[in-house]
Amino acid sequence: MRITRIQSVPISFRVPEGQNVRLGIGRAVKRDAVLVKVETDEGLIGWGEAHHGRCPGAIAKLIDTTLSELVLGMDPLDVNGVWARVYRMQLASHGMGAAAAMALSGLDIALWDIRGKASGWPIYRLLGGGPRAVPAYAGGISLGWQEPASLADEARAHVAAGYRAVKLRVGDSPRRDIARVEAVREALGADVEILVDANTGYTVDDVRRVMPAFEAAGVAWLEEPFPPHDAYSYGEAARLGTVPLAAGENHFTRYEFVQALQAGYLGFVQPDLSKTGGITETMRIAALASAWKISVNPHTSATGINMVATLHLLAAVDNPGYFEGDVARHNPFRDDVVGLPYRLDAEGKVCPPDGPGLGVEVDERFLAANPLIDGPCYV
């Protein structure tokens, strides 16, 4: 079998006015994604998702030109060989760093979809796993900066829907962040886990100010207080209290993760399969984290393709943590690209699909009806 065509499919939709969640990276005005379609000479087609990187047109162009030229004609079942060629010829030697990792991620997921379809197995089986349920938390572009009472009402609704954990957006100001966390804890009681995500918006002094209140509220992790390259601040913040630090959605490849793990400041790792190098590389990252007895809690991206790929991976590793459930009020990428990609069970857990490959069918009519919209997704 040979790869005969690689095609990017960048898509967008406007966020309806009144549903524009505000968080540390701005106010959401549209959502973007870059899907990857891989065709073979035996008629099998695989689908993947590359993160848009806030420049979906550039990621799409990189897929259609550089990556396509590098791997056309290769065996799609040789995922390690394809990964190694792109790494050697692009990431390691000519740069485009994060963009190339995102583009490769989408290609890699599509190749795993083909492998599953060729064998008749779901991806989790190919990875050595089973149809295991993992706990989910209410996340995605939701639970953002708002008045504490309103945030508490939103959190209650997600718990009523079956979630046993919620993630709040912080990184606003220590005072307002503390008020929001305390309001949600009071509203939810002691049995629901609260996670917080600063979207790289804190300083070390901000962490020093919020840490006592977060400890008192039983916050389970503080996610991305700083940019991923700011190892010094992570090291300082890890000594300021008992709330573990989490990061990883902006770490690319195992090489960045192993540096963070060796530094000892992370309590949880959060690779995004559509950013860090796809399923192939995230399995390696999960194995690294397992050596430190740390769970893997992937960040999920825009569409159901990334979400189901994440479920397959979590069902296959020995250190699964949380699945990030997308509870955005309006996200057709979640609901319509492949249909609703997961459902919560009575215990707030989710399972991967059982069909071959990813186990889902892509609605190409939806893709055609939602072409790329230029401009920033957060303002």
Side-chain angles (χ1 to χ4, degrees):
M1 192 187 308
R2 298 293 162 186
I3 298 171
T4 56
R5 189 184 184 201
I6 300 171
Q7 176 189 4
S8 70
V9 186
I11 54 176
S12 302
F13 71 87
R14 294 285 183 194
V15 177
E17 283 299 322
Q19 298 184 22
N20 311 94
V21 174
R22 181 170 175 77
L23 53 154
I25 52 177
R27 185 173 63 93
V29 294
K30 72 181 177 85
R31 297 286 293 270
D32 299 311
V34 181
L35 305 189
V36 182
K37 183 179 183 181
V38 177
E39 301 177 28
T40 69
D41 60 356
E42 294 188 12
L44 289 179
I45 294 173
W47 286 92
E49 179 181 339
H51 194 274
H52 57 81
R54 296 185 77 160
C55 51
I59 302 297
K61 188 71 171 178
L62 182 58
I63 292 164
D64 290 338
T65 55
T66 302
L67 264 64
S68 180
E69 292 169 4
L70 285 173
V71 304
L72 279 177
M74 293 187 71
D75 179 357
L77 304 183
D78 183 12
V79 292
N80 284 323
V82 171
W83 203 99
R85 178 167 172 78
V86 175
Y87 179 79
R88 179 172 61 88
M89 301 293 288
Q90 185 64 28
L91 274 79
S93 61
H94 282 75
M96 288 294 287
M102 292 178 195
L104 172 57
S105 298
L107 170 62
D108 183 83
I109 293 169
L111 296 183
W112 277 99
D113 191 27
I114 290 171
R115 292 193 87 217
K117 290 172 179 174
S119 67
W121 281 15
I123 290 172
Y124 68 77
R125 287 288 187 199
L126 294 177
L127 296 173
R132 304 186 186 108
V134 295
Y137 69 81
I141 309 301
S142 62
L143 293 156
W145 297 354
Q146 54 190 293
E147 290 302 311
S150 172
L151 181 62
D153 287 342
E154 182 182 350
R156 283 194 197 95
H158 298 317
V159 173
Y163 286 97
R164 298 294 177 264
V166 298
K167 187 169 81 176
L168 314 180
R169 303 291 181 160
V170 295
D172 181 4
S173 75
R175 178 179 57 81
R176 288 189 288 268
D177 289 343
I178 290 169
R180 292 179 180 121
V181 168
E182 290 178 341
V184 172
R185 174 56 74 202
E186 182 178 359
L188 300 184
D191 294 333
V192 176
E193 196 143 71
I194 295 176
L195 319 168
V196 300
D197 182 357
N199 291 112
T200 75
Y202 273 162
T203 64
V204 172
D205 187 58
D206 289 333
V207 175
R208 184 178 292 108
R209 292 170 184 271
V210 300
M211 186 60 77
F214 287 0
E215 287 176 326
V219 169
W221 77 44
L222 169 55
E223 180 176 338
E224 278 205 318
F226 319 110
H229 52 264
D230 190 359
Y232 174 80
S233 292
Y234 273 100
E236 290 293 297
R239 292 191 286 268
L240 294 176
T242 59
V243 176
L245 305 183
E249 71 177 88
N250 290 306
H251 286 69
F252 297 92
T253 77
R254 78 198 97 139
Y255 302 108
E256 294 189 7
F257 277 90
V258 75
Q259 292 173 7
L261 289 165
Q262 287 173 333
Y265 51 70
L266 291 184
F268 300 91
V269 296
Q270 303 170 302
D272 185 323
L273 276 67
S274 293
K275 284 187 170 185
T276 201
I279 292 171
T280 299
E281 190 71 347
T282 308
M283 287 294 289
R284 296 165 177 157
I285 292 163
L288 283 171
S290 180
W292 270 267
K293 305 298 183 184
I294 291 175
S295 65
V296 59
N297 303 261
H299 172 262
T300 55
S301 288
T303 84
I305 292 177
N306 170 277
M307 295 173 192
V308 294
T310 299
L311 288 171
H312 284 290
L313 182 132
L314 285 170
V317 299
D318 70 350
N319 54 337
Y322 275 116
F323 171 77
E324 182 174 8
D326 186 322
V327 295
R329 293 188 183 93
H330 180 76
N331 186 3
F333 285 175
R334 173 198 59 210
D335 301 333
D336 299 329
V337 171
V338 297
L340 191 64
Y342 60 87
R343 295 185 184 279
L344 286 178
D345 67 16
E347 297 180 343
K349 296 182 177 182
V350 290
C351 284
D354 284 327
L358 288 170
V360 293
E361 295 295 328
V362 173
D363 185 349
E364 296 194 56
R365 294 172 299 177
F366 175 86
L367 307 185
N370 291 272
L372 175 66
I373 302 170
D374 288 328
C377 52
Y378 297 97
V379 296

